[in-house]
Amino acid sequence: MKGTHITNRAKKWLAIGFTAVIASSVFYIPTVAAHGEKAQAAFLRMRTIHWYDMVWSKDTIAVNETYTISGKFRVFEDWPEAVEVPHVSFLNAGQPGPVTTRLTSYINGMFVPRSIGLELGGDYEFEMTMQGRRPGTWHVHTLLNVQGGGPLIGPGKYITITGDMADFENKVTDLTGNTVNLETMATGTVIGWHLFWYVLGIAWIVWWARRPMFLPRYMRVEAGEANDLVTAQDKKVTIGVLVGVLLIVLFGYKSAEEKFPVTIPLQAGLLGTIEPLPVDYNSMVSAKVLKANYRVPGRTITMTVELTNHTDQVLSIGEFNTGGIRFMNANVRSDDTGYPEELLAPEGLEMSQQDIAPGETVVVDISATDAAWEVQRMADVIYDPDSRFAGLIFFIDPEGNEIPIPVGGPLVPTFV
């Protein structure tokens, strides 16, 4: 009796423990450690696509209202070997589900509804028009999907959408001149077909599961009675289901053809390689990194760069941009675009010499300091097998025009 009592108590506590584990896994929602650009490896953010001159036209929109994300990006020359070069790429927006609808997207003025090719070292201008769909506050990123390289995430900003999702409409005019709302078009038909196939599939499973399964069937097969497991009635039902499914599919196809006689196939393929913007920034300024360090305690990248000004104007160092984080020289430029605060270091850039005279070659020590190195997980680059950094230094002329020049090279960590 005592042994039975102990066994029952053990079973009781096991049941309680099992219930607690299930409850904790169902109801416990842990804090997300990283999302969006933070979740991207530092070397991907630094050495693939550099997004700059980013502008979100609005921070708050209503359902059905539109806003634009525009700017430029540089396809970095020192593209990492672990990532396929962007010969097949697709411009998109990264967001938590279909909270907005992407209406249009352009690169260098070209409409790009499909994949395109990009050239290493090229600068491109882009614009996407987004339409509010689901109310809430959402983190929306620029995104470039690269075949063989995955999604390369750009800077993100919180967009608030107000209103009621039930009011959302996604209207388009088809080739015959009819205007339809894609949000609700044929919703009943879609649900009806799904329910039909679900019911048929469940009925098919029940038909075979209503008899002994697994071990009893295995034992009969081992006993040489496998032929008795499938009856003549089973065979008739199988043939009937096969013929019925084929007839139903044929009926659905013919019905759709009669209802929509004018159709085109889903469009795929490559639109071709887009030429970069016709501006040769590298002919205006030469930059060569002599050495670079990341000082861990100070959250600072320091680089010694040899710079040559090939223009006929004085150029000032105004900004260092890497991984979407902007380190600004407050004496030269400031942000007036509403750039995300977590990606902005308004006074994070210092240098031993700010201005470079026409034709002058100088060696300048540049420091980019901010907690964003750690918060944005960019400091993780020092733990990579190929510890290299990359970014864009922006030089500003007297008229306020910018010249983005790529820099990069090995990065050595220091701990003092």
Side-chain angles (χ1 to χ4, degrees), residues 26-270:
V26 171
F27 298 107
Y28 171 64
I29 303 176
T31 302
V32 177
H35 74 286
E37 63 267 51
K38 278 188 188 180
Q40 193 103 75
F43 84 96
L44 288 175
R45 293 174 66 180
M46 282 188 171
R47 296 175 54 197
T48 55
I49 303 297
H50 287 282
W51 308 84
Y52 64 98
D53 290 353
M54 295 282 297
V55 176
W56 291 260
S57 64
K58 299 174 184 177
D59 295 336
T60 302
I61 60 173
V63 170
N64 290 319
E65 189 178 354
T66 62
Y67 76 101
T68 60
I69 308 174
S70 60
K72 298 177 183 177
F73 61 86
R74 164 74 65 90
V75 184
F76 198 66
E77 294 90 335
D78 186 21
W79 193 269
E81 295 181 6
V83 182
E84 291 286 339
V85 293
H87 291 160
V88 180
S89 308
F90 182 74
L91 178 65
N92 206 346
Q95 54 189 8
V99 298
T100 64
T101 299
R102 182 171 53 88
L103 300 181
T104 62
S105 54
Y106 291 87
I107 294 180
N108 287 358
M110 176 180 174
F111 182 53
V112 286
R114 305 208 307 264
S115 297
I116 45 89
L118 302 172
E119 295 183 7
L120 295 183
D123 286 88
Y124 296 87
E125 192 170 27
F126 76 94
E127 181 179 282
M128 292 186 291
T129 301
M130 315 294 292
Q131 181 183 10
R133 180 175 180 269
R134 179 179 297 169
T137 299
W138 314 104
H139 208 216
V140 182
H141 303 259
T142 51
L143 180 70
L144 191 74
N145 288 291
V146 176
Q147 180 175 297
L152 302 176
I153 302 174
K157 187 172 185 178
Y158 284 99
I159 303 296
T160 299
I161 302 175
T162 62
D164 188 347
M165 186 174 171
D167 298 329
F168 176 73
E169 293 183 338
N170 186 12
K171 292 185 177 181
V172 297
T173 302
D174 62 22
L175 297 176
T176 62
N178 295 322
T179 299
V180 296
N181 181 10
L182 295 180
E183 182 73 5
T184 57
M185 178 183 176
T187 303
T189 302
V190 172
I191 295 174
W193 277 110
H194 275 77
L195 289 176
F196 172 78
W197 290 116
Y198 281 141
V199 170
L200 181 61
I202 292 172
W204 178 254
I205 293 173
V206 169
W207 175 264
W208 293 103
R210 62 191 174 87
R211 60 201 67 195
M213 298 181 65
F214 304 120
L215 286 178
R217 296 177 68 86
Y218 174 75
M219 294 171 63
R220 294 190 63 179
V221 171
E222 289 294 306
E225 302 175 359
N227 292 333
D228 297 336
L229 293 176
V230 180
T231 65
Q233 186 180 16
D234 291 335
K235 296 176 181 178
K236 293 178 183 179
V237 170
T238 300
I239 294 173
V241 171
L242 175 62
V243 173
V245 167
L246 292 176
L247 290 176
I248 292 170
V249 171
L250 181 61
F251 168 76
Y253 174 79
K254 294 297 293 182
S255 298
E257 281 286 305
E258 292 175 0
K259 189 173 182 179
F260 305 103
V262 181
T263 59
I264 60 173
L266 291 174
Q267 300 300 290
L270 192 66

Side-chain angles (χ1 to χ4, degrees), residues 264-292:
I264 60 173
L266 291 174
Q267 300 300 290
L270 192 66
L271 289 177
T273 300
I274 297 181
E275 294 292 326
L277 293 173
V279 181
D280 186 10
Y281 293 117
N282 293 331
S283 66
M284 302 177 186
V285 178
S286 298
K288 179 181 179 182
V289 176
L290 303 180
K291 67 175 182 178

